[in-house]
Amino acid sequence: MQVDTPPPDDLLISRPVVRSRHPWRWVATAVVLVVTAQVVHGLISNPFYQWDRFRFWFTQPSVLDGLLLTLEVAVWSAVLGLLGGVVLALMRLSGIALLQAVSWTYIWIFRAVPLIVLLLFLFNFSALYPQLSIGIPFGPSFSDVDTTDLLGYTVIGIIGLSLNEAAYAAEVVRAGLASVDQGQHEAANALGLSRARQFRRIVLPQAQRAIVPAYVNQLVGLIKASSLVSYVSLLDLFGTVQTLGATFPGDIVPLLLVATVWYVILTSVLSVVQYYVERHYARGSQRTVPPTPFQRLRTITRKRFA
């Protein structure tokens, strides 16, 4: 029986390394480049986009005022929604059946009801409840508040977005807290730490790794959903664009492009924040954090000009 002897090391080193070929990868890349070039060419060359009118409307004071109002509503809704979500998540994780039932019912209803329906309910809140009474529950009232002057359009938009946001934030927070390994709780109990210290020093730092990136992603959806407040007569960015489009019907396409580009800018800023937040919390689970795009660009520049 003949046994094949392995080739010597010198012969292996002298053999050329043949690069693997991936023809379909090049075909797919070419198809993507052609389609992208066609889309860009269509955006630039199509006269119906009216890019000169886009440049005119992009920084108009009325559009910037709508943009600032969108930011105001989104920031207040994000803060109030997160606070409400934390409370709802703690209620659901508590061992009290009544609090769990109330939290679960709130999350179930506000995730099921479309946001536009909720905003329209709040818009008609004054017709449903003309006055709010302050006093003893089911007893005499000490003061009455007229809801007609209490709820302005901005307040309605913030309340509607906050109520909706709290339901989603509660699930994000609950999932983050539940993601902490049970062994961490058992180790904290073995060390004799109090419940508050366990939550502050062990549970919360690990839960933030799952909560923060997911909630920043939720904020991207909140900014886009804020365009619905225009249906309750609030002149945010989209509401302003709609009003200008009704006054200048020939500019409706460039006005929609203005709103699109501003929303893309806002969500892109949040995406950058999300990237660095995820990178920050990845330090606890990865030994070496991958370089940022700026660090990669700086390394390439140094190598090229060294």
Side-chain angles (χ1 to χ4, degrees), residues 31-46 49:
V31 170
V32 170
L33 286 176
V34 170
V35 173
T36 305
Q38 282 187 323
V39 172
V40 174
H41 180 265
L43 285 173
I44 296 174
S45 61
N46 193 337
Y49 285 113

PDB file of all heavy atoms in Angstrom, residues 31-46 49:
ATOM      1  N   VAL A  31     -25.169  46.081 -10.799  1.00  0.00           N
ATOM      2  CA  VAL A  31     -26.611  46.356 -10.885  1.00  0.00           C
ATOM      3  C   VAL A  31     -27.010  47.441  -9.889  1.00  0.00           C
ATOM      4  O   VAL A  31     -27.767  48.370 -10.206  1.00  0.00           O
ATOM      5  CB  VAL A  31     -27.409  45.058 -10.629  1.00  0.00           C
ATOM      6  CG1 VAL A  31     -28.898  45.372 -10.474  1.00  0.00           C
ATOM      7  CG2 VAL A  31     -27.197  44.071 -11.766  1.00  0.00           C
ATOM      8  N   VAL A  32     -26.478  47.346  -8.658  1.00  0.00           N
ATOM      9  CA  VAL A  32     -26.807  48.356  -7.645  1.00  0.00           C
ATOM     10  C   VAL A  32     -26.301  49.734  -8.064  1.00  0.00           C
ATOM     11  O   VAL A  32     -26.994  50.756  -7.903  1.00  0.00           O
ATOM     12  CB  VAL A  32     -26.209  47.949  -6.285  1.00  0.00           C
ATOM     13  CG1 VAL A  32     -26.333  49.091  -5.279  1.00  0.00           C
ATOM     14  CG2 VAL A  32     -26.896  46.714  -5.755  1.00  0.00           C
ATOM     15  N   LEU A  33     -25.096  49.799  -8.631  1.00  0.00           N
ATOM     16  CA  LEU A  33     -24.551  51.085  -9.080  1.00  0.00           C
ATOM     17  C   LEU A  33     -25.397  51.684 -10.199  1.00  0.00           C
ATOM     18  O   LEU A  33     -25.671  52.893 -10.206  1.00  0.00           O
ATOM     19  CB  LEU A  33     -23.107  50.899  -9.541  1.00  0.00           C
ATOM     20  CG  LEU A  33     -22.071  50.708  -8.437  1.00  0.00           C
ATOM     21  CD1 LEU A  33     -20.697  50.438  -9.037  1.00  0.00           C
ATOM     22  CD2 LEU A  33     -22.014  51.954  -7.551  1.00  0.00           C
ATOM     23  N   VAL A  34     -25.825  50.843 -11.148  1.00  0.00           N
ATOM     24  CA  VAL A  34     -26.639  51.355 -12.262  1.00  0.00           C
ATOM     25  C   VAL A  34     -27.982  51.881 -11.758  1.00  0.00           C
ATOM     26  O   VAL A  34     -28.438  52.968 -12.145  1.00  0.00           O
ATOM     27  CB  VAL A  34     -26.840  50.243 -13.315  1.00  0.00           C
ATOM     28  CG1 VAL A  34     -27.890  50.677 -14.347  1.00  0.00           C
ATOM     29  CG2 VAL A  34     -25.532  49.924 -14.007  1.00  0.00           C
ATOM     30  N   VAL A  35     -28.634  51.108 -10.872  1.00  0.00           N
ATOM     31  CA  VAL A  35     -29.934  51.553 -10.342  1.00  0.00           C
ATOM     32  C   VAL A  35     -29.778  52.842  -9.538  1.00  0.00           C
ATOM     33  O   VAL A  35     -30.580  53.778  -9.659  1.00  0.00           O
ATOM     34  CB  VAL A  35     -30.562  50.437  -9.479  1.00  0.00           C
ATOM     35  CG1 VAL A  35     -31.811  50.946  -8.781  1.00  0.00           C
ATOM     36  CG2 VAL A  35     -30.894  49.228 -10.336  1.00  0.00           C
ATOM     37  N   THR A  36     -28.725  52.917  -8.703  1.00  0.00           N
ATOM     38  CA  THR A  36     -28.490  54.136  -7.921  1.00  0.00           C
ATOM     39  C   THR A  36     -28.239  55.333  -8.819  1.00  0.00           C
ATOM     40  O   THR A  36     -28.761  56.435  -8.582  1.00  0.00           O
ATOM     41  CB  THR A  36     -27.294  53.927  -6.981  1.00  0.00           C
ATOM     42  OG1 THR A  36     -27.510  52.775  -6.173  1.00  0.00           O
ATOM     43  CG2 THR A  36     -27.092  55.136  -6.093  1.00  0.00           C
ATOM     44  N   ALA A  37     -27.436  55.128  -9.869  1.00  0.00           N
ATOM     45  CA  ALA A  37     -27.160  56.226 -10.801  1.00  0.00           C
ATOM     46  C   ALA A  37     -28.430  56.688 -11.503  1.00  0.00           C
ATOM     47  O   ALA A  37     -28.635  57.896 -11.711  1.00  0.00           O
ATOM     48  CB  ALA A  37     -26.120  55.781 -11.827  1.00  0.00           C
ATOM     49  N   GLN A  38     -29.313  55.744 -11.850  1.00  0.00           N
ATOM     50  CA  GLN A  38     -30.570  56.121 -12.494  1.00  0.00           C
ATOM     51  C   GLN A  38     -31.450  56.940 -11.560  1.00  0.00           C
ATOM     52  O   GLN A  38     -32.067  57.925 -11.971  1.00  0.00           O
ATOM     53  CB  GLN A  38     -31.312  54.867 -12.958  1.00  0.00           C
ATOM     54  CG  GLN A  38     -30.756  54.254 -14.250  1.00  0.00           C
ATOM     55  CD  GLN A  38     -31.629  53.118 -14.739  1.00  0.00           C
ATOM     56  OE1 GLN A  38     -32.158  52.363 -13.936  1.00  0.00           O
ATOM     57  NE2 GLN A  38     -31.746  52.987 -16.056  1.00  0.00           N
ATOM     58  N   VAL A  39     -31.519  56.526 -10.292  1.00  0.00           N
ATOM     59  CA  VAL A  39     -32.347  57.265  -9.328  1.00  0.00           C
ATOM     60  C   VAL A  39     -31.810  58.680  -9.134  1.00  0.00           C
ATOM     61  O   VAL A  39     -32.566  59.661  -9.143  1.00  0.00           O
ATOM     62  CB  VAL A  39     -32.396  56.503  -7.988  1.00  0.00           C
ATOM     63  CG1 VAL A  39     -33.078  57.355  -6.923  1.00  0.00           C
ATOM     64  CG2 VAL A  39     -33.126  55.183  -8.146  1.00  0.00           C
ATOM     65  N   VAL A  40     -30.488  58.807  -8.960  1.00  0.00           N
ATOM     66  CA  VAL A  40     -29.883  60.129  -8.763  1.00  0.00           C
ATOM     67  C   VAL A  40     -30.072  60.995 -10.003  1.00  0.00           C
ATOM     68  O   VAL A  40     -30.420  62.179  -9.905  1.00  0.00           O
ATOM     69  CB  VAL A  40     -28.389  59.983  -8.413  1.00  0.00           C
ATOM     70  CG1 VAL A  40     -27.717  61.348  -8.360  1.00  0.00           C
ATOM     71  CG2 VAL A  40     -28.225  59.260  -7.089  1.00  0.00           C
ATOM     72  N   HIS A  41     -29.870  60.404 -11.184  1.00  0.00           N
ATOM     73  CA  HIS A  41     -30.062  61.162 -12.421  1.00  0.00           C
ATOM     74  C   HIS A  41     -31.514  61.627 -12.565  1.00  0.00           C
ATOM     75  O   HIS A  41     -31.782  62.756 -12.991  1.00  0.00           O
ATOM     76  CB  HIS A  41     -29.661  60.291 -13.620  1.00  0.00           C
ATOM     77  CG  HIS A  41     -29.831  60.984 -14.937  1.00  0.00           C
ATOM     78  ND1 HIS A  41     -30.976  60.845 -15.718  1.00  0.00           N
ATOM     79  CD2 HIS A  41     -29.025  61.843 -15.601  1.00  0.00           C
ATOM     80  CE1 HIS A  41     -30.838  61.572 -16.813  1.00  0.00           C
ATOM     81  NE2 HIS A  41     -29.678  62.191 -16.764  1.00  0.00           N
ATOM     82  N   GLY A  42     -32.464  60.762 -12.191  1.00  0.00           N
ATOM     83  CA  GLY A  42     -33.868  61.158 -12.271  1.00  0.00           C
ATOM     84  C   GLY A  42     -34.198  62.290 -11.310  1.00  0.00           C
ATOM     85  O   GLY A  42     -34.972  63.200 -11.647  1.00  0.00           O
ATOM     86  N   LEU A  43     -33.603  62.252 -10.100  1.00  0.00           N
ATOM     87  CA  LEU A  43     -33.856  63.329  -9.141  1.00  0.00           C
ATOM     88  C   LEU A  43     -33.292  64.661  -9.625  1.00  0.00           C
ATOM     89  O   LEU A  43     -33.905  65.717  -9.432  1.00  0.00           O
ATOM     90  CB  LEU A  43     -33.221  62.977  -7.790  1.00  0.00           C
ATOM     91  CG  LEU A  43     -33.935  61.919  -6.945  1.00  0.00           C
ATOM     92  CD1 LEU A  43     -33.087  61.558  -5.734  1.00  0.00           C
ATOM     93  CD2 LEU A  43     -35.298  62.414  -6.498  1.00  0.00           C
ATOM     94  N   ILE A  44     -32.128  64.609 -10.288  1.00  0.00           N
ATOM     95  CA  ILE A  44     -31.475  65.855 -10.719  1.00  0.00           C
ATOM     96  C   ILE A  44     -32.101  66.413 -11.992  1.00  0.00           C
ATOM     97  O   ILE A  44     -32.334  67.622 -12.112  1.00  0.00           O
ATOM     98  CB  ILE A  44     -29.963  65.610 -10.913  1.00  0.00           C
ATOM     99  CG1 ILE A  44     -29.322  65.238  -9.581  1.00  0.00           C
ATOM    100  CG2 ILE A  44     -29.286  66.846 -11.497  1.00  0.00           C
ATOM    101  CD1 ILE A  44     -27.870  64.847  -9.690  1.00  0.00           C
ATOM    102  N   SER A  45     -32.395  65.528 -12.940  1.00  0.00           N
ATOM    103  CA  SER A  45     -32.810  66.004 -14.265  1.00  0.00           C
ATOM    104  C   SER A  45     -34.301  66.222 -14.400  1.00  0.00           C
ATOM    105  O   SER A  45     -34.735  66.915 -15.330  1.00  0.00           O
ATOM    106  CB  SER A  45     -32.346  64.990 -15.324  1.00  0.00           C
ATOM    107  OG  SER A  45     -32.957  63.722 -15.086  1.00  0.00           O
ATOM    108  N   ASN A  46     -35.126  65.650 -13.507  1.00  0.00           N
ATOM    109  CA  ASN A  46     -36.583  65.813 -13.633  1.00  0.00           C
ATOM    110  C   ASN A  46     -36.974  67.246 -13.255  1.00  0.00           C
ATOM    111  O   ASN A  46     -36.813  67.659 -12.102  1.00  0.00           O
ATOM    112  CB  ASN A  46     -37.289  64.822 -12.714  1.00  0.00           C
ATOM    113  CG  ASN A  46     -38.775  64.719 -13.027  1.00  0.00           C
ATOM    114  OD1 ASN A  46     -39.359  65.648 -13.596  1.00  0.00           O
ATOM    115  ND2 ASN A  46     -39.378  63.612 -12.672  1.00  0.00           N
ATOM    116  N   TYR A  49     -39.330  68.393 -10.052  1.00  0.00           N
ATOM    117  CA  TYR A  49     -38.891  68.554  -8.660  1.00  0.00           C
ATOM    118  C   TYR A  49     -38.624  70.019  -8.322  1.00  0.00           C
ATOM    119  O   TYR A  49     -38.629  70.384  -7.146  1.00  0.00           O
ATOM    120  CB  TYR A  49     -37.633  67.717  -8.402  1.00  0.00           C
ATOM    121  CG  TYR A  49     -37.928  66.235  -8.279  1.00  0.00           C
ATOM    122  CD1 TYR A  49     -37.470  65.342  -9.234  1.00  0.00           C
ATOM    123  CD2 TYR A  49     -38.656  65.740  -7.214  1.00  0.00           C
ATOM    124  CE1 TYR A  49     -37.738  63.982  -9.133  1.00  0.00           C
ATOM    125  CE2 TYR A  49     -38.932  64.393  -7.099  1.00  0.00           C
ATOM    126  CZ  TYR A  49     -38.464  63.515  -8.069  1.00  0.00           C
ATOM    127  OH  TYR A  49     -38.741  62.179  -7.957  1.00  0.00           O
TER     128      TYR A  49
END
